[in-house]
Amino acid sequence: ADEVRRLKVRANAETPLDARTARQFGAEGIGLCRTEHMFFDEDRIAAVREMILADDEAGRRAALTKILPMQRDDFVELFTIMEGLPVTIRLLDPPLHEFLPHTEEDLVAVAKATGLDAAKLMRRAKELHETNPMLGHRGCRLGVSYPEIYEMQVRAIFEAACEIVAQGKTAPIPEVMHPLVAKGEEMRYLRLLTDRIAKQVMAEKGVTIEYMVGTMIELPRAAIRAGDLAEYAEFFSFGTNDLTQTTFGISRDDSGRFLNAYIDKGIFEKDPFVTLDQEGVGDLIRIATERGRAVRPDAKLGICGEHGGDPASIAFCEKIGLDYVSCSPFRVPIARLAAAQAAIGEREKDR
Ligand code: PEP
Ligand code: MG
């Protein structure tokens, strides 16, 4: 299969165990490292909450200073396991209230740990409450309103990369990825932020690291205006979980209540969160691919939603000429096989 396939196969992984598993299954890099998982860790959550609850930027920066070394260690470990293969690191995505306590009991425990009074904590949690969190203050919107969070993450990535070089190991190729971008101007802001911090760290350490900055395509606007994004983004990764959600206007967390009726009545042939809706979501991907490549012919394009491990969706990725698919580590073998079958299918069509 590996001899005939054209598509590269990467894995979605953030823990050392997942990264090792992915490599054992033949992944050629990490296509999506979701950094929020690193923030939810038992030993981090206190500092993360301190950051969220801070009243001002100075308070947030103080908490971020505590998170930086932990985040750097995560990346050192990931880069070590991946031995020079590309690693796409997505900066913080979820709405901040997800990190706050939800039960009364948790709230009291957090108040005790942070030294804040429970009433203030409760007030802050209420302030952060959103009616539609999936369409709210998440993704790169966090990085735009609190740039210090993304600055810390970019610093951690580059400090880790420099440390790998200092240890005499193969230099990693970090790919810094910004989530939920909709507009060229947003991407411009994020690109400048990333380059500024990367340069700062490389100058401090006296090391040059090859890297890329890119975006996820998770919103219809991002797909339609992909040309604007490509001015600043060197790669696109289609986040088809969100892109399916935002194209259909169906919350993937709530779809279970009615999707079966749609499937039973033949309105949907398959669950669009499992198999890519090629006519709708797929058309947006095709448009983004064409418009992105028109501006940046060498843009690297991949997919990292759940569909990246689904054979029918992989065939579509082959058809429109993406460069890679990224899926959960355990689906990597299937993806390698499906990519080969898709390549053969396309070649036969050309005959
Ligand atoms: C996606 O939206 O497809 C994606 C990979 O991001 P997440 O699932 O973390 O929202
Ligand atoms: Mg997403």
Side-chain angles (χ1 to χ4, degrees):
D2 289 341
E3 277 168 28
V4 292
R5 73 183 155 92
R6 183 195 60 83
L7 280 166
K8 294 259 185 206
V9 177
R10 298 194 190 183
N12 296 353
E14 44 275 328
T15 66
L17 177 64
D18 278 352
R20 277 192 204 100
T21 308
R23 285 214 62 187
Q24 281 159 9
F25 281 134
E28 297 161 299
I30 290 180
L32 175 64
C33 165
R34 292 175 163 106
T35 54
E36 60 267 23
H37 289 268
M38 297 167 164
F39 282 68
F40 279 117
D41 244 39
E42 276 289 310
D43 53 339
R44 325 262 169 101
I45 192 89
V48 172
R49 284 170 169 166
E50 193 184 317
M51 177 213 33
I52 297 168
L53 296 167
D55 289 319
D56 52 17
E57 188 187 324
R60 271 192 302 279
R61 284 197 185 272
L64 287 165
T65 309
K66 295 183 194 164
I67 305 171
L68 172 69
M70 303 190 248
Q71 192 75 135
R72 182 178 55 224
D73 289 351
D74 293 328
F75 296 134
V76 168
E77 200 166 7
L78 216 49
F79 291 152
T80 303
I81 296 167
M82 298 313 289
E83 294 180 297
L85 292 173
V87 177
T88 309
I89 298 162
R90 180 182 74 188
L91 304 189
L92 196 64
D93 181 11
L96 293 181
H97 71 81
E98 283 197 14
F99 297 101
L100 291 184
H102 297 296
T103 64
E104 181 105 24
E105 199 186 340
D106 268 2
L107 202 112
V108 173
V110 171
K112 224 171 158 185
T114 54
L116 287 167
D117 67 69
K120 177 174 178 184
L121 194 58
M122 186 108 67
R123 199 174 60 235
R124 190 79 180 109
K126 273 203 188 116
E127 276 166 19
L128 288 170
H129 173 81
E130 293 177 304
T131 311
N132 274 320
M134 276 301 137
L135 300 175
H137 196 182
R138 60 170 285 224
C140 69
R141 296 160 199 167
L142 283 175
V144 171
S145 37
Y146 305 126
E148 54 278 9
I149 301 179
Y150 278 16
E151 286 173 16
M152 180 281 289
Q153 292 196 283
V154 175
R155 173 163 280 279
I157 293 166
F158 284 88
E159 286 187 0
C162 291
E163 191 170 324
I164 295 287
V165 174
Q167 289 173 5
K169 296 180 184 147
T170 315
I173 310 172
E175 299 176 351
V176 181
M177 181 156 78
H178 295 280
L180 222 74
V181 175
K183 247 184 147 260
E185 295 306 319
E186 248 175 339
M187 192 60 225
R188 177 173 186 273
Y189 176 85
L190 298 163
R191 172 74 192 263
L192 293 177
L193 179 153
T194 310
D195 285 343
R196 175 169 53 82
I197 302 293
K199 275 197 199 115
Q200 240 173 45
V201 176
M202 291 191 285
E204 282 165 25
K205 308 282 176 193
V207 174
T208 303
I209 302 287
E210 197 188 316
Y211 70 98
M212 292 213 285
V213 186
T215 182
M216 295 192 71
I217 303 280
E218 298 174 284
L219 299 169
R221 193 187 197 285
I224 292 165
R225 300 301 302 182
D228 302 345
L229 269 54
E231 299 272 354
Y232 306 101
E234 297 169 290
F235 67 89
F236 291 171
S237 182
F238 292 97
T240 47
N241 302 330
D242 270 305
L243 191 58
T244 299
Q245 173 163 263
T246 53
T247 301
F248 277 102
I250 293 178
S251 149
R252 69 179 131 152
D253 300 323
D254 302 312
S255 64
R257 301 200 189 154
F258 52 86
L259 258 190
N260 280 344
Y262 273 70
I263 291 169
D264 288 348
K265 293 187 164 62
I267 298 172
F268 279 171
E269 204 181 317
K270 290 192 177 122
D271 180 343
F273 291 103
V274 174
T275 289
L276 192 77
D277 159 49
Q278 295 185 17
E279 295 172 344
V281 180
D283 216 31
L284 282 171
I285 297 177
R286 185 187 50 73
I287 289 168
T289 301
E290 289 167 7
R291 295 185 182 175
R293 286 214 169 114
V295 171
R296 192 184 287 271
D298 64 346
K300 206 195 280 187
L301 309 181
I303 180 173
C304 66
E306 288 304 308
H307 309 88
D310 169 64
S313 313
I314 292 171
F316 176 79
C317 296
E318 171 68 31
K319 189 168 93 186
I320 62 159
L322 296 193
D323 298 304
Y324 69 90
V325 299
S326 188
C327 57
S328 97
F330 288 96
R331 292 174 102 181
V332 166
I334 290 287
R336 287 163 63 195
L337 182 60
Q341 288 169 336
I344 292 169
E346 284 305 306
R347 273 172 223 162
E348 281 177 356
K349 264 195 231 161
D350 290 341
R351 277 221 221 123

